[in-house]
């Protein structure tokens, strides 16, 4: 299609530029009779919102969401749910440098080559600001999934520093500015990231998202496999360069004996898996175990150290990016990854119902 | 949609089971006036074909492709290209074990839960035999891309053993049974894999696919990003558990200074990149550099060591898989990865033309 | 997408040319566990098959369908159902005239302009032979709809001669070679059509298709309205030039008082409609009444009277079409219209289930 | 998909209810570098706007469109164009009657059955107010088509009264409140429609839309035929019950000799057609002649005469519709039909470019 929509039955379309009047998302295919108000969406946006700690960009956006359609007397009607967020902190600044030079590692050059025009203010459409729309759509998707399904994300690595999984505690995720499930790692990261921030540098990260409570059977082989759609979803998030399901790249190093998740009869007659290296997906279909996705986020190229580039006239020049930026964009990718997971699952839940046996 | 199609403008649909009468693919959206005969497709199928060395399954399938439509007097007509491959070596065997038990690590259990029925003969639809259809579609996609674009794959890791990139030689890929670009690694892998094979075990691997000669501008942000579609494509290949673009997960460990691909003015006025950590894609759009994708393939669970599982009655049991299998399914995933890359690129090339500026 | 597929969740893709080795259809999205064999499909193909009376083309095609995938032990598995029909009566003939001239009223000129190449043998891809694939897909769709839903078609007009609706008897449809529900009209049509046939001419017709037993609620406003999809479906059948729902164009002549289908409480508490001018659809959603569609089929331009045209060199010339043709292609459009109706309804039934309230 | 989007490469998604805060449309797939401002869109909305004569509803809506994204410094950027229209005249009124009863001929009953909830204020999502979004999208589509393509609509029939085609004058369309190309008919219609209006009744109509200046070759057989997509487009407009291409249903009454559009060599070597009964489409592909579509619009059921219906409790009752309504909704369907035609053509123009030969 045309690039700005995602999903099949639960399908959303986003619009808007970083420094335009507003951004928004139209969620189509949301079933009727779900309770939905702005209060169901706002907390997720607040989680992604910038300016909440010194580790994220200082742009101040209230990110106040408004429901413009699809809800009547507090319940969804089955018609499109249109959500809008106004841009308020479009700080007046001098864009002449960014307008005339291509920032390395950003989409400046490719947008220019593709479209012959770009809204250079704050990255325009390629800005991570668009991810607020994903988060809003994800909040609606959670309503479709219902209370029985939990979708949670965490930051598991910043630069070379990984969490210690033996200390994993979901409750810790909300206790530090990194969505880190390991309190000791969080403390260490704080120092590490202060150094990065003060030097005007940036650093990459790895995010993990886990969905619990799903039924077995979600996913449509072969090309709409659940893992295929999840990989698609995560790889479209800004700055993501890699996606894994379950043990991911580690699976390449294992033997068949090591990698198979064995099964035993469970108490209710249903089989139980003795491990979950597969990340809850076999043959593209959910097993009923936790669905586990990880993705790598590159460091932003908006840094204070000058980098070599060219300008619109094709001349060599240097660029350094002043202004408000995230030392680790991976942090704010956590709620975005959760949202994309929720949207993929909601879509497949609806599709599953369509084909379900009597 | 319904799961067995891939692509938007260059779109293919596959059908067929491992032990049915035939498998096939319908390629829709192939432009007219391209020269196309079976001889353009067969070599790629031969490359994927099993039974060519002791390192792949001994199933003997000629994989002879037949063009049933869409070609007139040696040229494509713009109508659907239907390709069929008959299954010939459907070895008569006893399927009672596989019919009544779920093989761990395979799709047996999930297909059963989703569909309530499964063609258990050789994995049915979930068999890697389906990938022959992808390879056939990929051969047509190469015609769409034209001679100026090269899509090449290589095996870069078997188990813990990686190639030495300083020895990378594309010409070596055809000189060993592993599609390995490093002749020294290939020699070492031969011994290693003999051990795996003789012990009835299996091992994972990593495949890298590189496309050269592409123009800048391919990819439709935000949700049809080129890297998003590539991740989707690769993750739907059997046994794939992870996908990376460019430096992938390594990007998580780098700083912004390290990770940015700097630019300098090139001889023809077009900018040149001084590195390609991004893997040829920025903001979801091709930069004109090589597009680089890597994916991890898990070891097949079809091994001679018994594994714990349950049967259809929900009772505990063990299973071991006799018969013909690949000690490293990653090897034959190389031409499949190439094919999927070619299909994604062909699709985006057509889409690019649609929106191209006058 | 790429043009040769129809439907969203119940989605089929057809391929093949009139005089190629075979034609076929891949039905994707058929739920599992439906009983399906060739014997379920063949009768519908036989109904459409040419050469059964002197009023249809004398091409002799057994139109024997073969199921190549998607069915295991007589039941669907949820994987793609691939159906193939071999072309057998590809009468050797001289195509030089048709190859070098554009037949007026046919797709010769437009295919040439679009593709720059065409398989001129028997119309190639634009041949009505493709409709056999639609009929085969429709037979699968009927399985999805189940026994409670009936989809029936009839010819209601040949040239200026309409049926008398007061004599409508569905049982008569199988008693004459016209699928005419009015036996008296059928007798008159026989004479009329003999005249057309003997003079080497052709004549248009109107087909009506009625679906009974549907639940209320099918259809996805606004752009996937049930009537929108039906209009789409019927207009893509060869030679169709108009589509109506319910009273159709007659509605343009009526007042609001005349046109409203009033409602009264029915015996089971559900409302009953006192008329069905709407053709079973309001606001794009089924009412539970019969869904009624009509479409106009133009006369084939393959006639014995020479018509003015141009040749490939752009020179004026004349053409007349010898050989086997239908004096009234509308007749064989009846089972095709039924099939398309069944496919649209099956698709919307699955979609309805997806969004259905708990 | 999910129902509220239309098109493939030029694709729009609409949202909003009649009495919500706003309605809007997101146009995705608009090529970059087209000049676009609100002033390009507003005139078409003004043409559709209610309350401009005594023959349309007296609801007063300025229908002021606002571009929220996708345009930078007066030119499109290739990113989604989000258009919003605020609802201002949401007249406070008593909806208790309409809330508790199903209006015959409206979508009240079917929405209730499908969704179990409906925004009954002014028809909610099923209101013709949504068509303003189609008109806005159509204005963008015209930019894609460029100045060489003209898309014009006219009302050709009100009730039983047709225009005299020998008096057809496109310039007259803007000289009367009916978009009538025949000034004499327009005068007669004024009296006729005054009678309808004063009696609180309503009447049906037929709209014709003609596109000129198109190249040959648009349309993707078989299921994305240009006529198939046009039929789909028009049938999804509120109250439309029939669609014709070219001579439409009249083709059913003609012989092959009468119906074929003969060709002669034109002055520039390209063939010229001697007539255009086909309405500019053969085999689903444009011939380069005018594309001609007609559609029938039923009379609105919102009339002052009480009609029988049932209430939410399933009890018999009567309903009559007071308030602001159109005596002939067909009038305002003219700009809507134009817009849908423009959108279909823009989509196919982009698709055509994608597959175009070198």
């Amino acid at each position: 299609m045309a690039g700005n929509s995602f999903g099949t039955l639960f399908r959303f379309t986003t619009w808007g530029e970083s420094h335009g009047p507003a951004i928004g998302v139209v969620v189509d295919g949301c079933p009727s009779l779900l309770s939905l108000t702005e209060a169901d969406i706002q907390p997720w946006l607040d989680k992604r919102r910038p300016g909440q700690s010194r580790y994220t960009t200082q742009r101040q956006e209230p990110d106040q969401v408004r429901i413009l359609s699809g809800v009547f007397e507090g319940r969804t009607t089955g018609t499109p749910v249109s959500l809008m967020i106004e841009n308020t902190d479009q700080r007046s600044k001098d864009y002449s440098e960014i307008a005339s030079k291509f920032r390395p590692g950003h989409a400046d050059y490719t947008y220019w080559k593709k479209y012959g025009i770009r809204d250079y203010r704050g990255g325009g459409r390629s800005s991570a600001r668009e991810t607020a729309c994903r988060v809003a759509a994800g909040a609606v998707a959670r309503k479709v999934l219902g209370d029985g399904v939990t979708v949670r994300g965490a930051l598991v690595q910043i630069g070379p520093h990984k969490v210690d999984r033996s200390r994993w505690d979901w409750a810790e995720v909300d206790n530090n500015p990194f969505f880190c499930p390991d309190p000791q790692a969080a403390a260490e990261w704080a120092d590490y990231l202060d150094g990065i921030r003060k030097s005007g540098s940036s650093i990459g990260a790895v995010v993990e998202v886990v969905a619990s409570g799903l039924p077995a059977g979600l996913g449509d082989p072969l090309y709409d496999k659940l893992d295929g759609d999840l990989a698609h979803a995560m790889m479209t998030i800004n700055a993501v360069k890699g996606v894994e399901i379950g043990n991911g790249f580690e699976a390449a190093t294992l033997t068949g004996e090591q990698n198979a998740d064995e099964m035993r009869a469970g108490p209710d007659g249903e089989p139980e898996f003795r491990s979950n290296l597969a990340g809850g997906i076999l043959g593209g279909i959910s097993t009923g175990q936790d669905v586990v996705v990880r993705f790598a986020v590159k460091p932003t190229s908006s840094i204070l150290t000058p980098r070599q580039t060219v300008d619109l006239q094709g001349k060599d020049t240097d660029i350094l990016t002043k202004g408000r930026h995230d030392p680790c964009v991976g942090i704010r990718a956590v709620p975005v990854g959760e949202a994309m997971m929720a949207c993929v699952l909601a879509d497949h839940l609806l599709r599953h119902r369509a084909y379900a046996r009597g």
Side-chain angles (χ1 to χ4, degrees), chain A:
Chain A
M1 306 290 186
N4 292 280
S5 300
F6 188 81
T8 296
L9 293 184
F10 182 87
R11 183 171 174 88
F12 67 86
T13 301
T14 73
W15 56 269
E17 278 79 41
S18 173
H19 286 61
I23 58 175
V25 57
V26 183
V27 180
D28 197 10
C30 180
S32 63
L33 296 173
L34 302 174
S35 70
L36 185 71
T37 69
E38 277 92 350
D40 293 306
I41 303 169
Q42 196 61 49
W44 305 106
L45 286 168
D46 291 346
K47 192 172 170 185
R48 191 211 72 99
R49 194 155 56 83
Q52 302 189 95
S53 80
R54 66 182 180 274
Y55 305 109
T56 58
T57 171
Q58 294 308 302
R59 177 170 176 163
Q60 291 296 336
E61 284 288 357
D63 277 356
Q64 205 71 39
V65 69
R66 194 173 164 213
I67 299 176
L68 294 177
S69 69
V71 175
F72 185 59
E73 298 177 343
R75 290 187 301 169
T76 58
T77 60
T79 65
V81 178
S82 177
L83 304 172
M84 188 167 73
I85 300 165
E86 287 186 47
N87 292 328
T88 59
D89 184 10
Q90 308 153 42
R91 185 179 297 190
S92 152
K93 80 177 233 191
D94 180 3
Y95 287 108
S96 57
E97 173 137 315
I98 198 175
S100 64
K101 298 177 179 178
F102 302 119
R103 293 171 299 168
H106 277 288
D108 298 347
Y109 174 68
T110 53
Y111 268 64
W112 179 255
K113 290 296 284 184
K114 184 172 193 73
Y115 298 114
I117 183 176
R118 66 190 171 96
D119 181 346
Y120 44 75
R121 300 167 305 165
R125 180 69 179 152
S126 68
S127 165
R129 179 141 186 74
E130 187 266 351
T131 59
C133 298
R134 301 177 186 234
V135 170
V140 182
R142 287 175 191 269
K143 286 284 179 171
V144 177
L145 292 172
D147 292 338
V149 176
T150 308
V151 179
R152 291 182 292 195
L155 205 68
V156 297
Q157 182 179 340
I158 283 192
H161 306 294
K162 301 186 181 184
V163 297
D164 180 337
R165 287 177 177 267
S166 70
R167 291 194 294 257
W168 190 296
D169 179 357
W170 279 112
E172 287 295 329
V173 161
D174 295 327
N175 291 341
N176 59 73
F178 310 110
F179 305 116
C180 177
D182 168 359
Q184 190 170 320
E188 294 160 6
W189 291 358
D191 290 341
Y192 175 72
L193 211 54
D194 275 330
I196 294 284
R197 181 174 58 84
K198 287 172 184 165
S199 66
S201 183
S202 64
I203 191 71
V206 176
V207 174
E208 181 166 319
V209 184
V210 179
S212 305
L214 289 169
L218 302 195
D220 283 305
L222 293 169
Y223 299 96
D224 299 349
K225 284 176 171 173
L226 187 57
D227 37 4
D229 282 1
L230 286 169
H232 184 179
M234 301 309 168
M235 195 64 96
T236 67
I237 299 173
N238 302 48
V240 172
K241 300 302 287 184
V243 182
E244 294 182 320
I245 307 291
N247 58 353
F249 275 86
E250 191 195 18
T253 67
L254 301 182
T255 64
E257 291 80 3
Q258 295 167 323
N259 197 60
D261 297 311
E262 294 182 297
M263 283 183 274
R264 293 281 84 178
D268 59 351
E270 286 292 297
E272 285 184 351
F273 291 87
R274 301 192 56 190
S275 55
N276 188 16
L277 298 176
I281 302 173
L282 286 173
I285 304 172
S286 67
T287 63
Q289 294 180 279
D290 283 359
V291 172
V292 181
V293 180
R294 252 182 324 283
F295 56 90
V297 186
K298 72 177 182 184
T300 179
S301 308
S302 299
I303 48 178
L304 285 179
T305 307
R307 308 310 294 165
Q308 298 185 338
T309 190
V310 298
D311 61 21
L312 282 183
Q313 283 69 44
K315 296 258 172 58
D316 284 352
T317 183
D318 281 2
I319 191 165
L320 67 82
T321 310
K322 296 172 207 153
R324 308 165 301 188
H325 288 289
D326 291 66
C328 178
V329 288
I331 298 171
R332 291 170 59 213
V334 172
V336 181
E338 289 178 352
M340 292 305 289
M341 168 81 97
C343 289
V344 169
L345 296 177
D347 191 27
H348 275 286
L349 188 68
L350 296 182
R351 296 171 74 165
H352 185 60
R353 284 185 194 157
Y355 295 122
R357 297 164 281 138

